Amino acid sequence: MSFYDRPQYAVKKRVLVTGGAGFIGSHLCARLLEQGHQVLCVDNFFTGTRTNIAPLLGHPEFEVLRHDVTFPLFVEVDEIYNLACPASPVHYQFDPVQTTKTSVVGAINMLGLAKRLRIPILQASTSEVYGDPTVHPQVESYWGNVNPIGPRSCYDEGKRCAETLFFDYHRQHNLAIKVIRIFNTYGPHMHPHDGRVVSNFIVQALRGQDITIYGDGQQTRSFCYVDDLVRGMMAMMASPADFVGPVNLGNPGEFTMLELAQQVIELTGSSSKLVYRPLPQDDPRQRKPDITLAKSALDWDVSVQLRQGLSSTIDYFRTVVAEIDARSEASL
Ligand code: NAD
Ligand code: UDP
């Protein structure tokens, strides 16, 4: 069956994915192509890589544009997923002014594009809008507990302002918006050096290095496997126009960082030891999504539990770490 004979061709869309070369964006681009859509991946390659999208480069319906979303973009598409923004604390704190610009000016530019074309636009917002939450688990109606002037604020407040812009474009210009709040997501294509806890622990365990626990390791996070998240993002885009969110997307399974380290050690068979490092400022003490709304409005739920998702992620990192180590040995 040729590509154009597929049943999906009837509903083929031109989809813009900003941040499409990043961890989540590259999975989303792949799923959209699988469903028969045309994909325009826009990325400035700050944290994304060509390796993440390498398998897609030869696809006839895939196009890549190196572009920074803080500058206006004029293209013709049918819907937009706005993911452009560094997501790991190490990356977003590297150039905090650019992080705020990416979230805020990037949102204005993408909303302007959506307004000109009168098309739906989905914003990848974050559980960070809840800050260090005093309501647990976090429900969408909770307004959050965010430090406006701390080291995480460039990201947290940038994303909060982007949500404000999305809702104002909706109210003021009747724009079709979709806002999702993503909770800690992990899986293949995470950058091995991005400093996030899942990639850090796995890479450290695979190399037999000490596993760095920040603080006492009792802080909690809820980890969502990337395939579940991408399914939720696409369900949100496909939902009725009057459902705009915000909606939490995440896995409600809650783990301390010590429990995560234990699982990684067990699954890798590593002999790594735990070492304790200072807790970064404003590090949230607990995080767990209430996904009642996503379940009822999107008929979405998670299907991959932590152990299973970690195993696939560990398989991915085994190859990545072996490649990096082989390259560095060859250059000696
Ligand atoms: P990532 O860093 O892997 O991907 C972000 C992508 O955006 C990268 O490809 C990067 O090069 C690109 N980018 C950054 N600034 C840009 C700019 N100015 N112009 C164009 N491209 C730019 O991170 P990710 O984990 O894939 O996150 C994707 C989105 O999901 C982000 O918006 C993030 O805030 C959101 N999110 C992710 C998580 C998570 O746990 N991974 C949680 C909450 C929210
Ligand atoms: N963390 C840790 N060791 C690491 C990296 C992170 O203990 O090597 C902790 C971090 O302090 C935080 C949690 O893991 O409490 C999640 O951190 P991550 O950077 O992955 O995401 P975020 O804090 O944005 O949820």
Side-chain angles (χ1 to χ4, degrees):
M1 185 170 67
S2 93
F3 182 79
Y4 295 103
D5 293 325
R6 291 186 193 187
Q8 300 97 315
Y9 181 59
V11 289
K12 182 161 92 168
K13 292 188 183 124
R14 299 163 299 175
V15 185
L16 167 59
V17 179
T18 76
F23 157 49
I24 297 172
S26 55
H27 288 275
L28 176 62
C29 289
R31 280 297 294 144
L32 288 164
L33 289 169
E34 273 169 34
Q35 296 216 335
H37 299 297
Q38 262 178 13
V39 175
L40 173 59
C41 163
V42 164
D43 205 294
N44 70 350
F45 293 98
F46 173 49
T47 53
T49 63
R50 284 180 66 82
T51 313
N52 282 345
I53 49 170
L56 313 180
L57 288 174
H59 195 294
E61 302 293 341
F62 186 65
E63 205 180 346
V64 188
L65 179 65
R66 182 185 286 267
H67 173 82
D68 186 321
V69 294
T70 62
F71 296 95
L73 178 68
F74 293 92
V75 291
E76 308 304 313
V77 289
D78 301 311
E79 57 189 29
I80 304 173
Y81 288 84
N82 187 37
L83 276 69
C85 185
S88 115
V90 172
H91 286 152
Y92 68 65
Q93 290 171 23
F94 173 77
D95 185 348
V97 173
Q98 173 68 11
T99 299
T100 303
K101 271 194 199 168
T102 294
S103 277
V104 177
V105 181
I108 291 172
N109 286 330
M110 292 310 113
L111 285 161
L113 177 63
K115 181 173 164 244
R116 175 173 72 79
L117 299 170
R118 303 307 310 172
I119 56 167
I121 177 167
L122 178 145
Q123 168 67 357
S125 191
T126 168
S127 54
E128 288 282 327
V129 301
Y130 301 122
D132 189 5
T134 53
V135 168
H136 194 74
Q138 290 78 59
V139 278
E140 289 86 351
S141 54
Y142 176 50
W143 289 357
N145 176 34
V146 176
N147 176 356
I149 56 167
R152 297 176 86 99
S153 312
C154 58
Y155 183 74
D156 300 9
E157 297 290 19
K159 288 285 188 178
R160 285 167 67 95
C161 184
E163 285 200 9
T164 306
L165 284 161
F166 268 70
F167 278 84
D168 281 336
Y169 268 76
H170 177 58
R171 283 185 290 257
Q172 201 175 326
H173 300 297
N174 202 23
L175 193 67
I177 63 155
K178 302 276 178 188
V179 176
I180 56 167
R181 292 181 177 158
I182 303 171
F183 283 65
N184 296 64
T185 298
Y186 70 100
H189 296 188
M190 291 184 90
H191 198 283
H193 301 134
D194 77 3
R196 285 187 266 197
V197 68
V198 173
S199 42
N200 263 15
F201 284 4
I202 293 178
V203 171
Q204 289 163 345
L206 290 175
R207 291 198 164 128
Q209 296 167 344
D210 290 341
I211 293 195
T212 51
I213 306 283
Y214 299 165
D216 60 8
Q218 292 300 334
Q219 69 273 33
T220 66
R221 293 292 187 274
S222 302
F223 298 102
C224 183
Y225 191 64
V226 65
D227 290 356
D228 281 340
L229 175 76
V230 166
R231 209 169 21 81
M233 296 175 92
M234 293 173 71
M236 180 59 172
M237 187 61 107
S239 66
D242 61 354
F243 184 63
V244 296
V247 60
N248 291 337
L249 291 182
N251 188 323
E254 186 183 9
F255 297 87
T256 67
M257 295 311 101
L258 281 175
E259 287 167 339
L260 176 69
Q262 228 43 69
Q263 288 215 28
V264 169
I265 288 175
E266 224 181 279
L267 290 168
T268 51
S270 173
S271 53
S272 290
K273 302 275 173 292
L274 305 185
V275 291
Y276 291 84
R277 298 280 178 260
L279 188 69
Q281 190 191 325
D282 297 336
D283 198 287
R285 275 165 295 127
Q286 52 182 359
R287 184 179 290 155
K288 170 186 162 112
D290 180 317
I291 58 166
T292 311
L293 179 60
K295 281 181 175 171
S296 62
L298 305 178
D299 193 23
W300 175 84
D301 202 350
V302 292
S303 64
V304 181
Q305 292 314 325
L306 185 62
R307 216 176 163 73
Q308 187 192 349
L310 280 180
S311 297
S312 314
T313 312
I314 288 167
D315 288 346
Y316 168 77
F317 274 113
R318 266 190 217 288
T319 312
V320 170
V321 168
E323 279 169 10
I324 294 173
D325 292 351
R327 271 203 303 275
S328 58
E329 265 171 41
S331 66
L332 287 178

